[in-house]
Amino acid sequence: MPTFTPLGTASAVPAHGRHLSAALLTHHGRHILFDCGEGTQYRLHAVEASAARINVIAITHLHGDHCYGLPGLLSSMALQQRTNPLTCIGPPGLKAWLAATPGASPAELPFACTICEMIPPPACTTVWRGRHAWLEARALDHRVPVMGYRWTTYTRTGPLDVERARALGVSHPPDFGRLKEGTPVTTDDGTRVRPDDVVGPPQPGVSCAYITDTRPGPGSRALAQRAHLAYHDATFGSEHAARATETGHSTAAEAAQIARTSGTHRLLLGHLSARYEDWTPLEAEARRIHPNTEGAREGHAYPIGPAN
């Protein structure tokens, strides 16, 4: 099962043992890194995650608490003789910034580093496709151009009932594979076995949304729509709602309202202001709106799936 691991949940500055913004999504032994605040390399070590297994780095925006760890991480990858290609996604300015940073310029790296720079799209747009899943981005509402992300696995074929297939006369190993792929087979005695006879219904994909540094709005709702897990900006409590509006952030109650109206199954609150020592008051106000909510725990691997 894929997992989502918050690495840093602090807003603006490290505080109360919390670190700057970063999160790791892991599936089939590979990682997508969302944001890369200062110190992200230390956080990767803390959860025993190998930077060599990061295939994609998705940056939401170019405020320092979300991206200042990226040059150091790229430089370390080079020092470790990485050869696997890497994709970095982010808003305008990312390419020029990295190109001007000694040791982090893609032209200097010993591995292929593709910078996918884009204006945050007004509708959900696919920005990366992998073997098992794809990644979408959508514009959010902050003081600078910012993107949220949604990761979704492809729909899989249903499970093959091997015993049922054998009972119908299927005996050759390749035929089991053909049935799983949707192709009918004929047994040695001439019986025609259809996939519908032995393969269960398709298994829908699972999804995870990463939504931070934003006011609640259409972008948040679209990314969180029926997501199995969503990490959402909850910088402030409702007592500081005016400050949230002024700075382009959300309150915990607003994040919970997005999750409830979007049909999100599980909500993680993120990007906590330094004025709060812990998540307790924000969890309380959010749970009154969306009960399946908690403050994101750094280093905890949250499963992404319908059983959450």
Side-chain angles (χ1 to χ4, degrees):
M1 180 177 289
T3 59
F4 177 86
T5 305
L7 301 177
T9 60
S11 168
V13 295
H16 309 296
R18 298 187 296 271
H19 304 83
L20 294 179
S21 290
L24 199 68
L25 193 152
T26 303
H27 191 217
H28 287 284
R30 297 292 175 179
H31 307 305
I32 294 177
L33 179 66
F34 294 105
D35 280 336
C36 191
E38 183 182 351
T40 294
Q41 291 192 72
Y42 291 103
R43 304 303 301 138
L44 290 170
H45 286 306
V47 299
E48 299 182 349
S50 170
R53 292 184 174 272
I54 297 175
N55 286 345
V56 178
I57 300 176
I59 301 297
T60 56
H61 63 299
L62 298 184
H63 278 164
D65 57 326
H66 292 259
C67 65
Y68 279 0
L70 182 56
L73 179 60
L74 294 177
S75 179
S76 291
M77 288 177 173
L79 289 171
Q80 293 163 358
Q81 299 300 306
R82 179 189 176 108
T83 58
N84 292 335
L86 176 71
T87 299
C88 291
I89 304 166
L94 177 63
K95 188 178 296 186
W97 174 52
L98 291 177
T101 306
S105 170
E108 301 176 32
L109 298 173
F111 55 91
C113 181
T114 302
I115 308 298
C116 297
E117 186 181 87
M118 68 188 68
I119 297 172
C124 287
T125 301
T126 299
V127 294
W128 173 84
R129 283 191 179 275
R131 180 180 176 185
H132 303 287
W134 77 94
L135 186 67
E136 296 171 285
R138 173 153 180 170
L140 297 175
D141 181 11
H142 194 44
R143 292 168 289 156
V144 299
V146 60
M147 291 185 288
Y149 294 97
R150 179 186 174 97
W151 175 90
T152 308
T153 59
Y154 301 117
T155 297
R156 296 178 295 163
T157 57
L160 173 68
D161 188 338
V162 176
E163 294 306 316
R164 170 68 175 160
R166 286 176 176 158
L168 292 173
V170 180
S171 59
H172 301 295
D175 285 343
F176 292 102
R178 293 187 184 98
L179 287 166
K180 181 76 171 175
E181 293 169 359
T183 303
V185 302
T186 301
T187 66
D188 291 342
D189 66 3
T191 301
R192 186 170 176 80
V193 180
R194 300 173 305 162
D196 289 349
D197 297 328
V198 293
V199 178
Q203 297 178 307
V206 298
S207 57
C208 176
Y210 182 80
I211 306 164
T212 190
D213 285 46
T214 185
R215 294 293 300 142
S220 294
R221 286 191 291 272
L223 293 168
Q225 193 69 28
R226 293 185 295 278
H228 294 92
L229 180 70
Y231 176 96
H232 197 291
D233 180 342
T235 307
F236 299 103
S238 293
E239 73 278 11
H240 296 295
R243 181 63 175 161
T245 301
E246 176 187 355
T247 58
H249 290 289
S250 300
T251 67
E254 288 171 332
Q257 185 66 32
I258 287 290
R260 188 178 75 174
T261 58
S262 301
T264 303
H265 180 65
R266 188 176 191 179
L267 173 65
L268 300 181
L269 306 176
H271 205 260
L272 184 62
S273 167
R275 71 189 67 216
Y276 303 100
E277 289 196 16
D278 60 46
W279 289 109
T280 304
L282 281 75
E283 286 178 328
E285 72 173 51
R287 285 173 178 165
R288 287 193 288 269
I289 301 169
H290 188 274
N292 197 9
T293 297
E294 65 180 280
R297 288 182 285 157
E298 292 187 7
H300 180 76
Y302 293 89
I304 304 169
N308 293 346

